[in-house]
Amino acid sequence: MATAKEEFLKEFGEHYGYPNSPKTIDQIRAAEFNRLQNLVYLDHAGATLYSELQMESVFKDLTSNVYGNPHSQSDSSSATLEIVRDARQQIMKLSVIQVLDYCNASPKDYKCIFTSGATAALKLVGEAFPWSCNSNFMYTMENHNSVIGIRDTRYALGQGAAAIAVDVEDVHTRIEGENFSTKISLHQIQRRKVAGLREGEPMGDVYNLFAFPSECNFSGLRFNLDLAKIIKEDSSRILGTSVCNNGRWLVLIDAAKGSATMPPDLSKYPVDFVALSFYKLFGYPTGLGALVVRNDAAKLLKKSYFSGGTVAASIADIDFIKRREGIEELFEDGTVSFLSIASIRHGFKILNSLTLSAISRHTTSLASYTRKTLLALRHSNGSSVCILYGRHNSMEMCHEMGPIVSFNLKRPDGSWFGYREVEKLASLSGIQLRTGCFCNPGACAKYLGLSHMDLISNTEAGHVCWDDHDIINGKPIGAVRVSFGYMSTYEDAKKFVDFVTSSFMSSRNHVDHGNQLEGVNGFLDTCYYLKSITIYPIKSCGGFSARSWPLSNNGLKHDREWILKSLSGEILTLKRVPEMGFISSFIDLSQGMLFVESPHCKEKLQIKLQLDFSDVTIQDIELHGQRYKVYSYSNETNAWFSEAIGRPCTLLRYSGSNHEFVLDKTKDVVTCKDTNSAVCFANEAQFLLVSEESVSDLNKRLSSDVQKGIHVTATQVNASRFRPNLLVSGGRAYDEDGWRDIRIGNKYFRSLGGCNRCQIINLALNAGRVQKSNEPLATLASYRRVKGRILFGILLKYESVNGEQQQGDSWLHVGQEVHPD
């Protein structure tokens, strides 16, 4: 029987792996991308990777030559200036020619303006375009925000132009007796400034701009570049006379994504502006892009600002300026990034050695295989696992798709997996991909079926780009995207497909509750007791254990009562500053003192629990969407913590807040939300309880994975890795999942549900070093997932009795019995 790869090569072998190039894909990966041995990188639409050979050439170039400021003419640099001028002329000429050649553009017809990126190139067009109140800015729905931004009040709309989004479809239609393969549907006209629209008034020259991407960075759809010809030559018939009855149309292509595999051929298509980004092509340098502009279109651009390098002469105290005549010199403000420009030729050398046609065939074969395999995935009930976005329903359409696969995943019952869950699990599996809307709101709304009302209500509900919201009102508000680059391999695609199969097929979508499914009656016959109590006075720093400890309205007395804040206002946590874990703390209640130690500080810090109000100030901060009043400390105390974590910070102490929690019960899990109980600076609840038996079961699974070869070395964890306040012993693993109310001694607690785990538990602090791995979260994800959450341990709230504060001995003691009720 043929292997999976043999089957792949049987279908795609003619196009995969650069069979006619000096190096095969396996040789390229082994020699030039050694850093990808344990990583699957599938975000080439976001940024592709530079090769080690490319960077060696860049380093050799920059260390063998002297490249100085091309504008410098001081006596001290005159000896270097001639060398730099010659080098700049050679490099700029080579670079410009390479850029123009990349788009098959003649230097007689086009010029290349270097910018700080593709966004800067698009902005240049927007701010210099000759807008008028009779102009139209038309753009496809599938456009990046950097293109849509051209409609801004300072550009198109601000100059009185109309802005119109359009949908483009490939259909066969007849207009005025002629066959057209493209249909353009207009959305509503946007207009903000109408002054000057007076009937009968001379219009002068009117210029309109049509913008579209060569490849949609959301779906991978490649636009037919014949659209440029249609717009320039037949705009009135294809668009209608209502918006196209006057003026000349110019065409802008955002080729930042598409140029990596199929740059626009400007010898065939008379495009006026093309925006490029070099790190999208070959990974390095970042911060450098280009605007390829047609010469006659460049003459229409209006430049208002002038700077160093763009003027031939100026006088400071009168309004006199003579601008440079060259197109590049006129629009390249200040000193161009000449060292980056010197580097791009080494990137082009890599691409040219493989050829663009071979890169396109190679990446398309991987994307086609991935789409085909994902579409075939079925749950046990026959329902589809994956919903793809873009044109993929027939093999004949595959040539219209770039090396992007955008999708969402469904459960057997038809509900959606959140894309953040997919991203989280992919990261644990060593797969880097992208989720969200990819700065392409039009394509996102179009493919996900989000209405204007959906988008506005989602925003009003607090959703913003890059947050953790992924499903709102049962609908996904973004997608998962994988994208391939010239160095991607079959093994990358196969590992990704296997990840989707193993992680999101119906048989893996459950939480193993263990024997707790027998219910409450099983708990009544089992003895549980409190094994340890741990207090963490400073959020994200080390805690200490106590045999007995008092309770307060906020949980354990003094638990997470202090936090560290950066000078920029960010609340510091273990996730962002792992060094916080090396700070140890201890509270002596009899002395009324908090003791803090760090391996980076010689002296032990002592902080009085009793505040000296003459030496502190009160301020407000925000954490987890809640407002807190806090006390601040002296410069000496702040200096100690700054030295301990290696960055400037301040210590703050809890004073009060309105932070509350409530229960939200679903079919499978109880989750924690804002409610009626006070906490200090805990993320979710007053207490975190972990079972010793559950930790033991996890360690057995980790050891089993080693025996199966899933892990090379044993990874054992102790309960402290989960930073619990309460460790219980007795019963069976995961009994705590079914607890709703519990009593410890004579104190009552309400379960707020399972604790959703993140990658913090993968940090091991050993011998002053922070070690990161995928465990134990990866193993927990294999059997403790429910509704996008990886659960381990439960969250608790200290309960009052009959609405009254609990009386008597308000302490917890190690050894007390734990009774689930």
Side-chain angles (χ1 to χ4, degrees), residues 268-290:
K268 295 182 179 179
Y269 306 102
V271 177
D272 300 285
F273 309 101
V274 177
L276 300 173
S277 177
F278 294 108
Y279 76 88
K280 302 273 190 180
L281 301 182
F282 33 71
Y284 181 88
T286 59
L288 183 68

Side-chain angles (χ1 to χ4, degrees), residues 659-662 672-677 679 683-685 752:
H659 200 91
E660 299 178 336
F661 289 98
V662 285
C672 184
K673 293 190 177 181
D674 289 344
T675 85
N676 296 325
S677 98
V679 296
N683 285 358
E684 293 186 275
L752 300 176

Side-chain angles (χ1 to χ4, degrees), residues 473-493:
N473 296 325
K475 298 172 68 173
I477 56 174
V480 182
R481 183 186 75 186
V482 297
S483 50
F484 298 93
Y486 76 82
M487 75 297 296
S488 297
T489 64
Y490 163 79
E491 287 72 21
D492 291 336

Side-chain angles (χ1 to χ4, degrees), residues 446-548:
K446 178 178 179 178
Y447 287 112
L448 300 180
L450 298 173
S451 67
H452 291 165
M453 186 62 70
D454 291 331
L455 298 172
I456 293 172
S457 63
N458 292 346
T459 302
E460 291 176 346
H463 169 58
V464 295
C465 295
W466 304 339
D467 65 16
D468 288 333
H469 295 293
D470 50 17
I471 304 289
I472 297 181
N473 296 325
K475 298 172 68 173
I477 56 174
V480 182
R481 183 186 75 186
V482 297
S483 50
F484 298 93
Y486 76 82
M487 75 297 296
S488 297
T489 64
Y490 163 79
E491 287 72 21
D492 291 336
K494 182 65 164 58
K495 183 173 182 180
F496 169 72
V497 169
D498 289 345
F499 155 73
V500 173
T501 302
S502 63
S503 300
F504 298 98
M505 297 288 278
S506 54
S507 61
R508 298 296 296 271
N509 182 32
H510 72 284
V511 168
D512 182 358
H513 291 284
N515 295 322
Q516 78 88 17
L517 293 177
E518 294 178 12
V520 174
N521 292 331
F523 304 146
L524 297 178
D525 299 329
T526 305
C527 180
Y528 308 93
Y529 70 93
L530 188 57
K531 179 87 179 270
S532 69
I533 304 169
T534 305
I535 302 92
Y536 304 90
I538 307 171
K539 182 179 177 66
S540 288
C541 295
F544 66 97
S545 296
R547 297 287 303 173
S548 301

Side-chain angles (χ1 to χ4, degrees), residues 160-234:
I164 311 164
V166 301
D167 288 308
V168 178
E169 301 176 72
D170 282 341
V171 296
H172 294 289
T173 186
R174 289 180 64 83
I175 300 177
E176 295 184 4
E178 293 190 33
N179 290 321
F180 284 86
S181 60
T182 300
K183 177 184 177 182
I184 297 180
S185 304
L186 278 59
H187 290 243
Q188 66 183 36
I189 298 175
Q190 308 162 63
R191 193 185 294 276
R192 294 185 186 174
K193 187 176 180 180
V194 296
L197 290 174
R198 297 175 183 173
E199 222 174 300
E201 187 174 310
M203 290 188 300
D205 294 328
V206 176
Y207 299 98
N208 307 294
L209 183 65
F210 190 97
F212 67 97
S214 59
E215 180 184 321
C216 174
N217 75 316
F218 185 97
S219 66
L221 175 69
R222 283 176 174 153
F223 280 78
N224 189 333
L225 297 189
D226 280 330
L227 183 59
K229 283 184 178 180
I230 294 172
I231 294 299
K232 293 177 72 71
E233 299 172 6
D234 295 290

Side-chain angles (χ1 to χ4, degrees), residues 544 549 586-595 609:
F544 66 97
W549 199 257
F586 173 75
I587 290 178
D588 189 322
L589 293 175
S590 63
Q591 296 185 46
M593 196 74 70
L594 167 64
F595 299 94
L609 299 181

